[in-house]
Amino acid sequence: MYGKLYSACLYGIDGVLIEVETDLSNGLPQTSIIGLPDSAIREAVERVRAAVKNCGYQYPLQRITINLAPADLRKEGSSFDLAIAVALLMTSGQLVLPPQERTLMLGELALDGSVRSVPGVLAMVDLAKRQGFTSVLLPSDNLAEASLISGINVYGVRHLQDISPDTTAFKTNEGSPSKAGPIVLNSFAHLIKPAYEHSSSTNSHARTQTSVSFTEDYSDVLGQHHVKRALMIAAAGMHNILLVGPPGTGKTMLIKRLPTILPPLSEEEALEVTKVLSAAGKLKETSSGLVTERPFRSPHHTISTSGLIGGSGIPKPGEVSLAHRGILFLDELPEFHRQVLEVLRQPLEDHTVTISRARAAFTFPAQFMLACSMNPCPCGYLSAQSEDQRCICSPSRVAAYRAKISGPLLDRIDLQVEVPPPGEWRNAAPSPTSAEMQAKVVQAHHIQAKRYANSSVRWNSQLSGRLLRRTAQLPAEADNLLQHTLQALNLSMRAHDRIIKMAQTIADLEHDGEILTSHVAEAIQYRQLDLNLF
């Protein structure tokens, strides 16, 4: 007796279709799972056996072979449990599924038959739609997430008995199967339906989004107006930024409010972010729509290389991918291990992370803004002006401390801004609110979206090569200033291009149609580590 159903697993952040084949033959009762399963899949035998019995069905007392195809693809996770259980019931003649439905099944089984949620449902349901499936059976806890994909029927299952509640035909007083025929299902209409109906238009995602509200606001931060200006430029062009200053000057507080001035996620961006978080298993709570808030990731400085860029046997997304379309905040930058920081160089340039293994290579998105903070020296008071807070670090200690950040990495950080201790902060001028700053940032983003409508570029920070030369043209005076600075400070061509991109962002914020000399001068003064100003 032979049967086949379909399930899926994650490979990176993408779904992969898996055929669950079952074969029942005469011999000693034994169940074998083949097809490169991991330990969680091999343990599915005991979960499925207990679930089938506790739901009133009969577990076949035969030699059972379960094959997960393709056989050369390494598989991990517990999303195959439901498909294995239903395939066994079909093959043993206890259940007949609707013939008109081409069904994908996902879910982990508890010993009592309950169906538990699994990560990565969004990517796997999207795969099912593209592969021409008509329906997906999955855990009810994943139903809202799966319903974000339109054009396919998704049904929530809380318990294995939900698929066919009538199991009395297979129970007798002696505990052996009766001679009654199989339970025939004509449809899945009795299962849990989506919380809302799909629209034929992809714009149906838009109505699932809600406005994002923040408790923090830049109006809470007194003074530091030049730092807020730099942060607004960084947000307007999605430029990387580094704040340097003594302890207690507000570096962390300023960066943590950076999401309040970023524009909301577009529908396409929200779907990308939700897909990454789903693959990483971060969508634990039931949600009725796409993720609407830009990610803000702030890993501890003890993080490993795999934790930052992704890893494991079948790699999972790291912090750089979890920060996709948002902000990756590295507080106390020199405290991170140097080898961990060096792996950021390639994602900052390519906006993707590629992790190669013996059998395959995995590519994760990593389009993020890098925001960092650091002290100017080990004790932190190199630039402090107070007599009570004098720096006790020798020049060699300061040099060694700053050497933890390599030149190539520092070269990729557009804005390097000093954050001095606030002066007369009680009498400081009123600070602009986050809403006022966000309005300017959104206008700058609209300008860039119109300018780059016919290209893959979204923000000025993504400009490069011929497109940069054609878009951001400097007048003669501004070009002379930049060339003089380039020679005087011995800047790299990467720094040269990043200054031009910053100048373009400043021009967009000022609603100027072209880059002016004042824009280039302001962009140059934000390269403060290159200028050796502290």
Side-chain angles (χ1 to χ4, degrees):
M1 290 180 286
Y2 170 83
K4 181 171 70 173
L5 280 180
Y6 293 94
S7 188
C9 67
L10 280 178
Y11 222 54
I13 63 170
D14 298 316
V16 177
L17 186 66
I18 303 297
E19 295 181 2
V20 180
E21 300 177 297
T22 54
D23 178 79
L24 275 62
S25 59
N26 295 329
L28 293 175
Q30 179 184 354
T31 304
S32 301
I33 298 182
I34 59 177
L36 290 181
D38 71 343
S39 57
I41 298 175
R42 289 192 292 268
E43 292 170 354
V45 173
E46 302 305 324
R47 292 194 298 271
V48 170
R49 188 195 311 273
V52 166
K53 289 183 176 180
N54 291 330
C55 290
Y57 297 103
Q58 293 295 323
Y59 193 84
L61 297 178
Q62 295 174 276
R63 182 178 179 85
I64 302 171
T65 303
I66 301 169
N67 180 42
L68 305 179
D72 62 343
L73 183 70
R74 184 75 181 176
K75 303 162 191 76
E76 67 173 12
S78 57
S79 61
F80 305 107
D81 289 8
L82 183 62
I84 291 173
V86 175
L88 285 175
L89 297 178
M90 287 178 53
T91 309
S92 60
Q94 301 181 60
L95 188 65
V96 176
L97 295 183
Q100 73 278 9
E101 297 278 357
R102 188 165 184 248
T103 308
L104 187 81
M105 295 192 179
L106 308 168
E108 174 187 337
L109 286 177
L111 298 185
D112 65 349
S114 300
V115 183
R116 293 171 173 160
S117 61
V118 293
V121 162
L122 192 64
M124 291 186 276
V125 174
D126 183 49
L127 168 74
K129 177 185 175 182
R130 289 186 280 106
Q131 293 287 339
F133 285 82
T134 57
S135 59
V136 179
L137 267 60
L138 42 73
S140 57
D141 289 341
N142 293 125
L143 185 59
E145 177 185 345
S147 299
L148 296 173
I149 303 298
S150 61
I152 187 170
N153 296 320
V154 290
Y155 299 95
V157 181
R158 291 195 179 98
H159 199 278
L160 184 58
Q161 285 183 329
D162 290 348
I163 297 178
S164 176
D166 183 14
T167 59
T168 57
F170 298 98
K171 272 192 168 182
T172 66
N173 294 333
E174 292 78 17
S176 59
S178 71
K179 300 300 183 180
I183 298 174
V184 180
L185 300 181
N186 295 318
S187 71
F188 295 122
H190 60 286
L191 296 176
I192 303 173
K193 295 297 183 64
Y196 57 90
E197 295 297 328
H198 289 302
S199 168
S200 58
S201 171
T202 57
N203 289 333
S204 61
H205 298 309
R207 67 170 179 271
T208 68
Q209 300 189 41
T210 56
S211 59
V212 180
S213 60
F214 298 94
T215 57
E216 298 87 2
D217 196 282
Y218 273 117
S219 61
D220 303 331
V221 184
L222 302 177
Q224 307 292 17
H225 294 287
H226 72 291
V227 183
K228 295 175 187 176
R229 166 74 174 177
L231 289 166
M232 189 166 63
I233 294 171
M238 297 301 284
H239 300 286
N240 304 321
I241 185 169
L242 169 65
L243 302 185
V244 187
T249 55
K251 303 184 297 295
T252 302
M253 182 172 60
L254 285 160
I255 290 180
K256 284 188 174 181
R257 283 162 170 73
L258 193 53
T260 65
I261 65 173
L262 289 175
L265 289 168
S266 66
E267 179 185 331
E268 179 184 355
E269 291 173 333
L271 190 59
E272 291 176 7
V273 172
T274 306
K275 186 176 179 180
V276 172
L277 293 178
S278 174
K282 301 296 183 181
L283 292 178
K284 295 296 184 182
E285 298 181 0
T286 301
S287 173
S288 60
L290 298 175
V291 173
T292 57
E293 185 176 347
R294 289 190 182 271
F296 183 89
R297 305 294 300 182
S298 181
H300 193 261
H301 63 260
T302 56
I303 190 172
S304 65
T305 301
S306 297
L308 190 62
I309 68 167
S312 81
I314 298 181
K316 301 295 183 183
E319 290 292 333
V320 295
S321 297
L322 295 176
H324 181 59
R325 301 297 182 189
I327 300 168
L328 178 64
F329 176 36
L330 302 184
D331 200 6
E332 302 297 341
L333 187 63
E335 300 302 327
F336 287 79
H337 296 293
R338 183 184 174 102
Q339 64 180 15
V340 173
L341 293 178
E342 290 305 298
V343 301
L344 287 173
R345 288 159 59 174
Q346 182 260 340
L348 288 174
E349 289 291 332
D350 299 339
H351 309 304
T352 59
V353 172
T354 300
I355 302 174
S356 298
R357 291 292 182 263
R359 293 182 178 271
F362 304 82
T363 299
F364 301 101
Q367 177 69 61
F368 61 92
M369 179 200 303
L370 178 63
C372 313
S373 69
M374 62 175 286
N375 296 325
C377 65
C379 76
Y381 296 106
L382 180 64
S383 58
Q385 304 297 326
S386 173
E387 292 291 334
D388 299 330
Q389 297 177 338
R390 291 184 178 179
C391 178
I392 60 173
C393 303
S394 64
S396 60
R397 284 192 66 197
V398 175
Y401 179 74
R402 295 188 179 184
K404 294 180 180 180
I405 308 171
S406 68
L409 177 61
L410 191 62
D411 211 27
R412 288 167 167 82
I413 300 177
D414 304 73
L415 294 94
Q416 307 151 9
V417 184
E418 181 183 11
V419 186
E424 294 296 328
W425 57 271
R426 291 184 181 275
N427 299 322
S431 296
T433 65
S434 291
E436 294 170 348
M437 297 171 67
Q438 185 189 44
K440 296 180 180 179
V441 170
V442 169
Q443 289 177 355
H445 275 238
H446 287 332
I447 294 173
Q448 293 169 63
K450 184 177 180 180
R451 181 188 299 132
Y452 309 127
N454 298 322
S455 69
S456 60
V457 173
R458 291 173 179 261
W459 309 301
N460 291 328
S461 60
Q462 296 177 291
L463 288 172
S464 62
R466 185 180 304 173
L467 184 59
L468 173 63
R469 303 291 178 263
R470 186 173 68 247
T471 303
Q473 297 182 356
L474 303 182
E477 184 180 355
D479 186 60
N480 290 335
L481 173 62
L482 182 56
Q483 296 305 321
H484 176 76
T485 304
L486 194 71
Q487 296 175 3
L489 300 178
N490 196 26
L491 298 180
S492 67
M493 286 304 298
R494 181 185 291 112
H496 171 273
D497 288 351
R498 288 182 179 272
I499 290 173
I500 295 178
K501 288 185 279 189
M502 272 195 292
Q504 181 65 68
T505 300
I506 296 171
D508 293 340
L509 279 173
E510 302 298 330
H511 301 286
D512 290 326
E514 60 181 13
I515 299 176
L516 305 178
T517 305
S518 59
H519 302 152
V520 175
E522 183 177 359
I524 290 172
Q525 65 96 14
Y526 288 125
R527 306 283 300 189
Q528 295 194 4
L529 286 176
D530 293 331
L531 297 174
N532 295 318
L533 293 183
F534 54 91

